C-alpha cells in the first residue's frame, strides 16, 4: 500500500509555520492539532457507516452514521499525545489507548515503558498517532505490540515521515496504511528528519 500524503495548500502553509524554529509552544501545539484533524478526515474516507433514522425539525429522514465507538486512537507517548486533542474533536466517542516508547539515543531502538489499551481493542479500528515517523522503529514496535493483542485494522497517522521509515513500516506491515502531511528528504546521521521540525516531543512540551 502506498503512503497517502496530504497534498493541499492549507497543509503546506501549516507545515511551514510548524517547521519554523521560531514558532512557539502554543502555536506548535495548535498546528499539530489542526493537521491531525485533516489527517483524520483523510483516514476516515473509507469509514463504514450504518443506517440511521433521525427527525429534522421538519420531517423524518433516513441517513447514515459512523459508529464512533468502533474507533481507538493510540498515541505513542510522549509526542503522539499532541495529536489527540485535535483528532478527538472529530470522533469524540473514540476510545484512547496509550503506548509509551522512547528511542535509545545511541541505538535508535524503541524501548517500551507503558502499554494500556481500551477493552476489546482487537475489534476496533485503530489509528496510531505520532507526529514523527523517522527510522520507523517506534511505529513498527507499536504495530507489532497491537497485532500481538489481535488488532487487525490499523492505520498510522503522522505529520512528517522520512522515506526510510515509510519503507520500513511498509515492508514489515504492508497492511497498515500510512497517512502523513509530508514525506521529507532524509534522515541525518543521528536519526533526525531533514528538513523536519526538530524534536517533536521537546517542542510540544518545552523540554529543551
Ligand atoms: C520520537 C517521535 C517518535 C520517534 C520516531 O519520539 O515522537 O515516537 O521519535 O522515531 P523512529 O521512527 O526512529 O522510532 P522520542 O523517542 O523522541 O520520544 P518522545 O516522544 O518522548 O520525545
Ligand atoms: N523524532 C523527532 O521528534 N524528530 C525527528 O526528526 C526524528 C525523530
Amino acid at each position: 500500500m502506498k503512503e497517502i500524503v496530504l497534498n493541499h495548500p492549507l497543509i503546506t502553509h501549516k507545515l511551514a509555520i510548524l517547521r519554523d524554529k521560531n514558532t512557539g509552544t502554543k502555536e506548535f501545539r495548535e498546528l499539530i492539532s489542526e493537521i491531525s484533524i485533516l489527517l483524520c478526515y483523510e483516514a476516515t474516507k473509507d469509514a463504514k457507516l450504518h443506517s440511521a433514522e433521525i427527525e429534522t425539525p421538519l420531517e423524518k429522514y433516513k441517513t447514515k452514521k459512523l459508529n464512533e465507538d468502533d474507533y481507538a486512537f493510540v498515541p505513542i507517548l510522549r509526542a503522539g499525545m499532541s495529536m489527540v486533542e485535535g483528532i478527538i474533536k472529530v470522533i469524540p466517542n473514540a476510545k484512547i489507548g496509550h503506548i509509551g516508547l522512547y528511542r535509545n539515543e545511541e541505538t535508535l531502538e524503541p524501548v517500551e515503558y507503558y502499554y494500556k489499551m481500551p477493552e476489546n481493542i482487537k475489534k476496533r479500528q485503530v489509528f496510531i498517532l505520532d507526529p514523527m515517523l523517522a527510522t520507523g522503529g517506534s511505529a513498527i514496535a507499536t504495530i507489532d505490540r497491537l497485532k500481538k493483542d489481535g488488532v487487525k485494522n490499523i492505520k498510522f497517522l503522522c505529520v512528517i515521515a522520512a522515506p526510510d521509515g515509510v519503507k520500513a513500516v511498509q515492508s514489515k506491515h504492508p497492511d497498515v496504511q500510512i497517512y502523513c502531511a509530508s514525506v521529507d528528504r532524509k534522515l541525518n546521521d543521528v536519526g533526525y528528519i531533514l528538513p523536519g521540525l526538530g524534536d517533536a516531543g521537546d517542542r510540544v512540551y518545552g523540554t529543551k
Side-chain angles (χ1 to χ4, degrees):
M1 247 191 291
K2 178 127 181 70
E3 69 279 12
I4 293 178
V5 185
L6 301 190
N7 191 6
H8 192 284
L10 269 178
I11 289 285
T12 309
H13 170 68
K14 287 181 190 297
L15 276 179
I17 308 171
L18 189 74
R19 292 178 190 280
D20 192 327
K21 66 177 185 182
N22 296 313
T23 296
T25 309
K26 176 174 182 287
E27 202 177 1
F28 190 88
R29 287 183 189 143
E30 288 167 354
L31 287 159
I32 295 262
S33 284
E34 290 159 13
I35 293 171
S36 303
I37 291 172
L38 298 169
L39 285 165
C40 185
Y41 179 78
E42 189 65 32
T44 48
K45 264 194 170 160
D46 59 355
K48 277 195 210 129
L49 298 173
H50 64 86
S51 304
E53 189 167 301
I54 55 124
E55 214 170 327
T56 77
L58 301 172
E59 61 178 10
K60 285 195 174 155
Y61 179 59
K62 285 201 169 101
T63 181
K64 287 183 176 175
K65 282 183 171 175
L66 194 77
N67 194 357
E68 293 190 22
D69 197 38
D70 287 348
Y71 287 78
F73 301 141
V74 177
I76 303 180
L77 304 177
R78 293 173 301 168
M81 279 304 293
S82 62
M83 296 177 72
V84 174
E85 196 188 322
I87 201 168
I88 204 70
K89 284 192 182 136
V90 199
I91 309 184
N93 285 305
K95 304 293 176 273
I96 300 179
H98 296 86
I99 181 164
L101 297 176
Y102 66 86
R103 288 203 306 178
N104 177 309
E105 287 189 357
E106 272 147 37
T107 63
L108 299 183
E109 288 297 317
V111 183
E112 184 180 314
Y113 61 87
Y114 189 75
Y115 183 82
K116 182 119 184 137
M117 291 300 136
E119 60 179 9
N120 296 326
I121 187 67
K122 65 180 173 195
K123 294 194 185 135
R124 298 180 190 276
Q125 167 67 68
V126 171
F127 287 0
I128 301 173
L129 311 176
D130 193 327
M132 309 305 277
L133 174 61
T135 64
S138 308
I140 290 169
T142 303
I143 300 165
D144 285 344
R145 185 68 184 78
L146 286 165
K147 285 190 175 174
K148 208 169 128 197
D149 271 0
V151 182
K152 293 194 176 54
N153 299 311
I154 303 177
K155 296 186 178 198
F156 187 87
L157 278 57
C158 62
V159 176
I160 295 183
D164 288 358
V166 170
K167 261 186 231 137
V169 172
Q170 286 171 341
S171 69
K172 184 90 198 289
H173 294 291
D175 57 306
V176 174
Q177 179 70 67
I178 299 170
Y179 296 84
C180 61
S182 169
V183 178
D184 276 11
R185 200 170 75 250
K186 63 170 192 166
L187 289 177
N188 72 8
D189 295 343
V190 285
Y192 275 82
I193 302 174
L194 297 175
L197 49 72
D199 187 304
D202 285 342
R203 292 195 66 185
V204 170
Y205 297 109
T207 38
K208 233 178 230 169

